[in-house]
Amino acid sequence: MLKFRSFALKLALFATGLSGIVAEYILSTLATYFLGDSVFQWTMIVSIMLFAMGLGSRLSKYLKSNLLQKFIIIEFTLSILTSFSSLLAYTAAAYTVYTGMIIYTMSILIGILIGMEIPLVIRINREFENLRINVASVMEKDYYGSLLGGLFFAFVGLPYLGLTYTPFVLGAINFIVALGLFFLVRSHLKKKLRLGLTGFALATAMLLTIGVTFATPVILYGEQQRYKDKIVYEKQSRYQRIVITQWQNNFWLYINGNQQLSSLDEAMYHEPLVHPAMSLSKNPQHILVLGGGDGCAVREILKYPQVAHITLVDLDPAMTDLGLHHPILVNMNEGALRNPKVSIINKDGYNYLEQTEAYYDMILVDLPDPKTVELGRLYSYEFYKLCNRHLRPNGILITQAGSPYYATRAFLCIDKTMRKAGFNTQQLHNQVLTLGEWGWILGAKGTAGLDIKSTLQNMRFENVKTAWLNHEAMSLITSFGKNIYAFTADTVEVNTIHNPVLYQYYLKGNWDLY
């Protein structure tokens, strides 16, 4: 019986190790989604939770009696807190601007309770094993559980259960641990304590049942408050949160809360992205599109009959599935991703360029803004050198580059980085109604003597059907007027993988003007 109790304790710690690490990941993901800057938020949440765990370990020394019963109470409490972490964050977002404070407070509370677990189990287990074996076996089970928790979050929790139900899985784990230990020792408890724990267990079970039942509408309500228009589609994929909203007959696409396009004016974004580069290219037959899973850029490229093949590389299959099958995006992209000229590859764009042996006449980069280190890698010197290598002679590269006015230093940094990688560059911009002033950087390979600006301004697009772009517009999108900021290319550094300055330039932009 003693050996069985020891085994039960270690099994419980294995389960709570799994639950604890996933709780850290959930809170870090919530902080990133609501507060931005993934590197900062993951660093801070994990650091604060580890500090709180140390604090919990210290507090555990003041628990001197009935340790197993107190461990059970901690597990029931953790069950409630972890289960409702997402619901609390989304509810807070609907009513207050202090969502970050809620998330960080939960991190501290959950961290303290997790930190109390290991010291208590070691102390409880000392009657079954000597110190040397006790400490080693307890820590071992906790760390093994952490590995399984990480695998669960990466491959099951986030991609399939999302931030809605993954917390309840964790809560269920803590609840089952507590309940199992309670049944193991209930016959040895005094009647008053046994009744108290039974009531706590019933209350926890009731709360978890209510939470699971109403989780989806609560999350949707909190999510809806972040958008001014009605949400008609939302999905948490393995990589990002995708939302589509509707106002009258127009639709908006958001990734992680940031607008990607609107059917109201997406032509004012996609036409400058595609047509200047296609017209500058001598004979664009083989095109590589990185990102652009919505299919609108591919729609514009397909207007050129000489195009033989388009390779679209987008990391997230959830996004390309939308572009392929969702009626809103299929209608917007005119079924472009179903065209036999188009091949879709779900892979990281950087890794694709490292591994492919293909060469292209044009590379079009239509990725989210470089607001994280991960995205900044796809705007780096090393990335642009890869693009240069995979372009044929006189090949064209164009990338969306954020806003030249709201993120001026980031815009200039992308331009400088592309020039450092060997491209003859030209800045472009346009006033997109729903996005504000937006920009692109066009780069030509092996055309050092070419006056790209004059060539672009003489373009007429008479043989291409466009909704907005024409000869007159080309004079506008290539002209910037005087520099109203003190920022110049000399004030920014080249963005590299080992010196990722771009995302900081982006985050410290002039966004208050928007």
Side-chain angles (χ1 to χ4, degrees):
M1 186 63 179
L2 292 179
K3 286 186 177 181
F4 178 73
R5 287 190 182 182
S6 177
F7 173 77
L9 277 171
K10 292 172 186 176
L11 183 63
L13 204 59
F14 175 85
T16 57
L18 183 157
S19 178
I21 198 71
V22 178
E24 291 183 29
Y25 295 157
I26 286 174
L27 290 164
S28 298
T29 304
L30 285 169
T32 297
Y33 183 53
F34 286 104
L35 307 175
D37 194 349
S38 61
V39 172
F40 177 82
Q41 297 303 336
W42 275 77
T43 301
M44 292 306 298
I45 291 291
V46 171
S47 298
I48 287 173
M49 287 193 73
L50 287 172
F51 168 78
M53 288 163 66
L55 191 59
S57 296
R58 182 176 181 83
L59 292 175
S60 70
K61 72 180 182 179
Y62 297 107
L63 304 179
K64 298 179 180 179
S65 60
N66 299 320
L67 298 184
L68 186 55
Q69 293 91 310
K70 286 168 181 165
F71 181 80
I72 292 170
I73 292 171
I74 287 170
E75 293 308 304
F76 279 137
T77 307
L78 268 174
S79 176
I80 296 169
L81 287 178
T82 54
S83 294
F84 286 87
S85 55
S86 279
L87 296 188
L88 286 172
Y90 277 92
T91 304
Y95 294 105
T96 177
V97 296
Y98 300 109
T99 309
M101 187 178 297
I102 300 293
I103 294 172
Y104 276 86
T105 300
M106 286 191 294
S107 300
I108 293 170
L109 293 175
I110 292 173
I112 288 173
L113 293 175
I114 292 173
M116 298 176 77
E117 291 175 327
I118 293 178
L120 287 179
V121 170
I122 290 175
R123 290 167 62 190
I124 295 167
N125 198 49
R126 67 185 176 185
E127 64 179 282
F128 310 129
E129 295 176 336
N130 64 51
L131 182 62
R132 175 175 59 86
I133 298 175
N134 182 16
V135 173
S137 59
V138 166
M139 299 299 291
E140 174 192 29
K141 301 303 183 294
D142 183 69
Y143 294 149
Y144 288 170
S146 296
L147 172 62
L148 185 60
L151 294 173
F152 166 77
F153 183 77
F155 294 103
V156 179
L158 193 58
Y160 296 107
L161 300 175
L163 295 176
T164 304
Y165 293 108
T166 300
F168 283 98
V169 173
L170 302 189
I173 290 172
N174 288 112
F175 179 74
I176 291 169
V177 165
L179 202 61
L181 292 175
F182 173 53
F183 278 110
L184 189 64
V185 300
R186 71 187 187 283
S187 60
H188 302 285
L189 299 177
K190 293 181 180 179
K191 182 177 180 181
K192 186 176 180 180
L193 182 57
R194 186 167 64 247
L195 289 174
L197 286 175
T198 301
F200 198 178
L202 291 173
T204 303
M206 187 178 298
L207 281 173
L208 296 187
T209 303
I210 293 171
V212 169
T213 303
F214 294 101
T216 296
V218 170
I219 293 286
L220 285 177
Y221 177 77
E223 184 84 299
Q224 182 64 72
Q225 303 313 303
R226 304 190 70 206
Y227 302 94
K228 59 184 178 181
D229 302 314
K230 179 184 177 182
I231 293 175
V232 294
Y233 176 88
E234 58 87 25
K235 179 181 178 65
Q236 174 66 57
S237 77
R238 180 178 175 183
Y239 303 101
Q240 57 200 358
R241 188 164 188 82
I242 304 169
V243 171
I244 298 176
T245 66
Q246 179 180 8
W247 178 71
Q248 295 184 355
N249 295 321
N250 292 297
F251 300 92
W252 278 254
L253 171 67
Y254 295 86
I255 292 178
N256 292 336
N258 301 297
Q259 182 187 327
Q260 303 303 301
L261 61 83
S262 167
S263 61
L264 181 69
D265 58 5
E266 55 83 15
M268 300 179 77
Y269 172 90
H270 288 106
E271 290 183 357
L273 173 69
V274 172
H275 297 299
M278 289 292 291
S279 298
L280 189 64
S281 180
K282 299 296 183 183
N283 187 23
Q285 295 186 18
H286 296 276
I287 315 296
L288 173 63
V289 177
L290 300 176
D294 53 77
C296 292
V298 173
R299 177 199 67 207
E300 295 301 312
I301 295 171
L302 287 170
K303 293 179 179 179
Y304 294 82
Q306 68 267 41
V307 170
H309 190 259
I310 301 168
T311 302
L312 185 142
V313 179
D314 192 299
L315 178 64
D316 194 351
M319 189 66 247
T320 51
D321 284 348
L322 268 183
L324 276 167
H325 304 298
H326 198 285
I328 291 173
L329 288 186
V330 171
N331 181 62
M332 205 182 301
N333 66 38
E334 299 175 5
L337 298 188
R338 300 175 181 177
N339 192 290
K341 292 183 178 181
V342 179
S343 297
I344 296 174
I345 299 173
N346 293 121
K347 195 171 187 176
D348 174 78
Y350 194 103
N351 292 342
Y352 174 79
L353 284 173
E354 280 188 314
Q355 297 164 12
T356 186
E357 296 181 358
Y359 290 87
Y360 300 95
D361 300 302
M362 189 179 94
I363 297 176
L364 183 150
V365 183
D366 186 18
L367 294 165
D369 295 340
K371 59 174 58 182
T372 66
V373 171
E374 304 95 307
L375 285 168
R377 172 170 162 266
L378 293 162
Y379 294 82
S380 66
Y381 167 78
E382 293 85 352
F383 173 74
Y384 293 135
K385 287 295 287 186
L386 281 172
C387 290
N388 196 308
R389 184 183 307 162
H390 286 282
L391 281 170
R392 292 192 173 96
N394 302 314
I396 303 298
L397 168 67
I398 187 164
T399 181
Q400 87 87 11
S403 173
Y405 295 120
Y406 302 129
T408 308
R409 286 188 295 176
F411 185 77
L412 294 174
C413 176
I414 295 170
D415 187 10
K416 187 172 184 176
T417 303
M418 285 178 62
R419 282 190 280 113
K420 179 72 173 177
F423 288 98
N424 180 12
T425 66
Q426 173 61 45
Q427 301 174 1
L428 305 173
H429 71 119
N430 190 31
Q431 178 67 27
V432 182
L433 301 178
T434 58
L435 281 174
E437 192 72 21
W438 222 251
W440 306 264
I441 306 293
L442 185 150
K445 175 182 177 179
T447 58
L450 176 66
D451 186 348
I452 297 179
K453 183 173 182 178
S454 296
T455 304
L456 293 175
Q457 289 180 342
N458 287 321
M459 291 178 178
R460 295 186 176 275
F461 310 107
E462 293 174 347
N463 298 320
V464 180
K465 183 182 178 181
T466 60
W468 176 81
L469 193 66
N470 59 14
H471 172 61
E472 181 182 24
M474 290 307 299
S475 295
L476 299 174
I477 69 173
T478 53
S479 302
F480 284 79
K482 292 182 177 180
N483 182 10
I484 63 172
Y485 300 118
F487 308 133
T488 64
D490 294 334
T491 65
V492 298
E493 299 179 63
V494 170
N495 183 52
T496 68
I497 289 176
H498 301 294
N499 185 30
V501 296
L502 178 59
Y503 90 101
Q504 289 291 350
Y505 290 150
Y506 182 90
L507 294 175
K508 295 177 181 177
N510 318 306
W511 294 107
D512 290 342
L513 299 175
Y514 181 44

